[in-house]
Amino acid sequence: MAFCKEVRIECSELWQASFDHPFVKGIADGTLPLDVFRHYVMQDAYYLSHFAKIQAIGAVKATDLETTKRFAFHSEHTCAAELALHESFMDLLGVTDKDWEAFEPSPSAYAYVSHMYRSAEGNLADVLASILPCYWLYHEIGERLKNAKPDHPIYDRWIGTYGSAEFGELVKEQMDRMDRLASGLPEKRRTELKDRFRRSSYYEWNFWEQAWRKESWTVNTYSQAGV
């Protein structure tokens, strides 16, 4: 079985948790509170700034010039297209320079980025296994929501971007590349790549969750009474 088909089956419950998350459902019907989406957009801008760097590392890890060119293109696309999309959301959401001065990544966003950098210590297959869920899951969500009518300028555009044919072509390219890179590898090595993919799939679910809870670096304190 091709790697992508196999790992998608193995991660089906994780992905379904993303499809069912109230954040995603709130985008679909237009009920997601804007303060929650605002938190998400700022955290996602941080994430994407590093995602583009991981893609660039993929260009360096590539063993042929065509793959180097394509990963460099994907990195540039993240900077030019996705970050531009987020910048337009920032304007609509009223995010100011002062907000950015006070910004810090949430624990979950920081952990996800750290996981990608750790994966990038390996070869190109490790890089791609760690970033592919972000491409692929977002496109599946975009396709699932393409008939949704949130009737909201931000959520309509978000769905349209990730459900677009253009984005789908980029996803398909990376899926095909992942299958080629994993083809013929020993089972132990395929398992390592699956682990990277699965962890990223978990972090994708957790990214909705951290936005939903507006996660920050706070801790709960507990009374010592009765101890």
Side-chain angles (χ1 to χ4, degrees), residues 67 70-71 128 173-181:
T67 304
R70 292 306 301 168
F71 267 86
L128 188 50
E173 176 192 341
Q174 293 290 49
M175 289 171 64
D176 290 345
R177 182 171 287 115
M178 189 73 245
D179 282 339
R180 291 195 299 272
L181 289 170

Side-chain angles (χ1 to χ4, degrees), residues 135-150:
Y135 281 92
W136 188 0
L137 179 67
Y138 268 65
H139 186 56
E140 277 208 22
I141 289 173
E143 288 206 307
R144 282 169 175 256
L145 302 188
K146 64 184 177 183
N147 294 320
K149 301 188 186 312

Side-chain angles (χ1 to χ4, degrees), residues 90-189:
M90 302 299 177
D91 290 338
L92 290 170
L93 293 166
V95 178
T96 66
D97 289 341
K98 187 175 181 180
D99 292 325
W100 281 116
E101 288 172 6
F103 172 81
E104 64 177 334
S106 71
S108 293
Y110 184 84
Y112 193 176
V113 166
S114 298
H115 158 67
M116 291 193 299
Y117 278 116
R118 179 66 180 269
S119 297
E121 294 173 3
N123 64 19
L124 184 61
D126 295 289
V127 172
L128 188 50
S130 73
I131 65 176
L132 184 56
C134 182
Y135 281 92
W136 188 0
L137 179 67
Y138 268 65
H139 186 56
E140 277 208 22
I141 289 173
E143 288 206 307
R144 282 169 175 256
L145 302 188
K146 64 184 177 183
N147 294 320
K149 301 188 186 312
D151 194 25
H152 191 289
I154 293 178
Y155 303 152
D156 287 338
R157 189 173 176 193
W158 191 93
I159 292 169
T161 296
Y162 296 114
S164 69
E166 177 190 9
F167 187 63
E169 289 171 3
L170 296 176
V171 176
K172 180 67 163 53
E173 176 192 341
Q174 293 290 49
M175 289 171 64
D176 290 345
R177 182 171 287 115
M178 189 73 245
D179 282 339
R180 291 195 299 272
L181 289 170
S183 179
L185 292 178
E187 191 57 36
K188 181 180 178 181
R189 179 67 177 125

Side-chain angles (χ1 to χ4, degrees), residues 186-198:
E187 191 57 36
K188 181 180 178 181
R189 179 67 177 125
R190 284 171 67 93
T191 298
E192 291 173 351
L193 297 175
K194 287 178 185 178
D195 285 344
R196 298 199 188 283
F197 185 99
R198 186 179 65 256

